[in-house]
Amino acid sequence: MGHNHSQDHSGKNLKVAFFLNLTFTILEFIGGIYVNSISIISDAVHDLGDSLSLGTSWYLDSKSKKKANSKYSYGYRRFSLLGALINSVVLIAGSVYVIYEAVGRILEPEHSDAQGMVIFAIIGVLVNGYAAYKLSSGKSMNEKVVSWHLMEDVLGWVAVLIVAIVLYFKDIHYLDPALSLLITLYILYNVFKRLKETLFIFLQGVPSDINLDEIKNGLLNLEKVKSLHHTHIWSLEGEHHVFTSHVILKDIEKFDQVIEVKTLIKDRLDEYNFEHYTIETELDSETCKLRA
């Protein structure tokens, strides 16, 4: 029940974030031209990319809730992970663009309407801050990446607000792009961390919140369990994990003992709240063709 509740909220949060971002992007283009602020216009271009990726995330998030079928036997949960990967790539591309624009502003400074920048910066902090807050408690990798997407915008608008206030009293042209560079580099650092996590899940690495050796030792300590092989753990999208293993049994004299051991194994695995697990039991007198 908890997972379903979380998934329902993830879709609603992405929907809210998408429409907020798209509406504000349109407002940014109009306002940036009006106050002659290249930083606001470049942020509008960046937000346009954010809107596209948010829309993609919303679509893929809803897609990920579809049940398993003959085409996708595990269901569509990994579509949410695909959204996280797309968002990371878009965010990196957008950040590179912001760096390019910031360097251009340092080389060729321009005067901007500081008062207009203050107004737009305050609106930007409120709108993007609310959207980031809606996604901050998200558990899926998709929501985490999108949350960083929006946090970049919040920090960017805080920088614009600070610079606009300074420019209102003293015209220091290089201050705006210099601060934007620092914030963008900080965001890129965090995005690369998220991208690394996303690729790790894509490559079916063992989830960081699961200790494979601990699970193996726990199963090996059960009565009549001799050994394990082909034991695998991976995650569908960073939240729901899958476990499979071949378990060799010893000292089995009757079939009821196999049932008892399987029950003990399942009880032990239930402690880890796996989304799905598959156990194949084998007798020590058997020869498994897959055994290493």
Side-chain angles (χ1 to χ4, degrees):
M1 291 296 291
H3 289 313
N4 291 335
H5 184 72
S6 174
Q7 289 174 351
D8 290 340
H9 273 282
S10 68
K12 292 178 182 178
N13 290 340
L14 288 169
K15 179 180 178 181
V16 170
F18 168 69
F19 282 111
L20 278 174
N21 208 273
L22 181 61
T23 302
F24 188 64
T25 297
I26 297 172
L27 184 63
E28 274 184 290
F29 275 114
I30 298 173
I33 295 173
Y34 179 76
V35 300
N36 191 34
S37 172
I38 190 64
S39 61
I40 291 180
I41 294 175
S42 63
D43 194 83
V45 174
H46 189 98
D47 277 353
L48 180 60
D50 287 355
S51 297
L52 293 175
S53 60
L54 279 167
T56 303
S57 296
W58 178 24
Y59 169 75
L60 292 176
D61 184 84
S62 61
K63 188 83 170 176
S64 70
K65 294 178 178 62
K66 292 181 64 177
K67 295 181 179 180
N69 54 33
S70 59
K71 191 173 183 180
Y72 293 98
S73 60
Y74 274 108
Y76 290 73
R77 282 206 171 107
R78 287 180 75 84
F79 277 72
S80 176
L81 191 62
L82 177 61
L85 180 61
I86 292 174
N87 280 326
S88 294
V89 173
V90 170
L91 186 53
I92 290 172
S95 297
V96 170
Y97 174 79
V98 170
I99 292 174
Y100 172 79
E101 289 294 331
V103 172
R105 280 292 297 269
I106 292 176
L107 297 176
E108 297 181 10
E110 292 184 21
H111 178 74
S112 302
D113 182 354
Q115 187 174 358
M117 288 177 65
V118 169
I119 296 173
F120 275 98
I122 292 174
I123 298 174
V125 170
L126 294 175
V127 172
N128 289 284
Y130 176 74
Y133 168 75
K134 292 290 287 183
L135 291 172
S136 61
S137 59
K139 295 182 179 180
S140 71
M141 186 60 66
N142 193 9
E143 288 180 284
K144 291 177 182 178
V145 172
V146 171
S147 180
W148 268 109
H149 233 130
L150 296 169
M151 277 306 300
E152 179 193 41
D153 293 333
V154 172
L155 292 175
W157 280 112
V158 169
V160 172
L161 179 60
I162 294 173
V163 168
I165 293 173
V166 173
L167 290 176
Y168 187 81
F169 296 100
K170 192 169 183 179
D171 204 6
I172 308 175
H173 295 297
Y174 66 84
L175 190 59
D176 180 12
L179 193 53
S180 296
L181 281 174
L182 291 176
I183 292 174
T184 303
L185 291 174
Y186 170 74
I187 292 297
L188 277 176
Y189 168 74
N190 287 285
V191 170
F192 276 118
K193 284 176 59 179
R194 293 295 184 188
L195 180 59
K196 182 180 178 181
E197 292 176 18
T198 302
L199 291 175
F200 183 77
I201 296 173
F202 254 117
L203 296 174
Q204 296 185 311
V206 176
S208 59
D209 59 337
I210 296 289
N211 188 320
L212 178 58
D213 291 331
E214 176 186 293
I215 295 177
K216 283 184 175 181
N217 291 332
L219 295 179
L220 289 171
N221 287 332
L222 295 177
E223 187 178 359
K224 296 189 181 303
V225 172
K226 181 179 181 180
S227 63
L228 307 172
H229 62 276
H230 277 285
T231 301
H232 307 289
I233 300 177
W234 69 95
S235 182
L236 294 176
E237 49 17 333
E239 184 179 359
H240 300 88
H241 308 326
V242 178
F243 176 90
T244 64
S245 183
H246 289 217
V247 181
I248 297 181
L249 307 181
K250 62 183 180 180
D251 302 328
I252 299 296
E253 299 175 355
K254 54 185 179 179
F255 184 73
D256 287 347
Q257 291 177 314
V258 175
I259 302 299
E260 291 175 3
V261 176
K262 288 177 69 174
T263 300
L264 290 174
I265 293 173
K266 291 177 180 178
D267 288 342
R268 181 60 60 88
L269 293 177
D270 283 341
E271 299 175 8
Y272 296 91
N273 197 30
F274 285 112
E275 169 76 3
H276 176 84
Y277 57 75
T278 301
I279 301 297
E280 180 172 344
T281 54
E282 303 167 356
L283 301 179
D284 52 358
S285 58
E286 289 184 68
T287 300
C288 178
K289 292 182 179 180
L290 298 178
R291 189 175 180 182

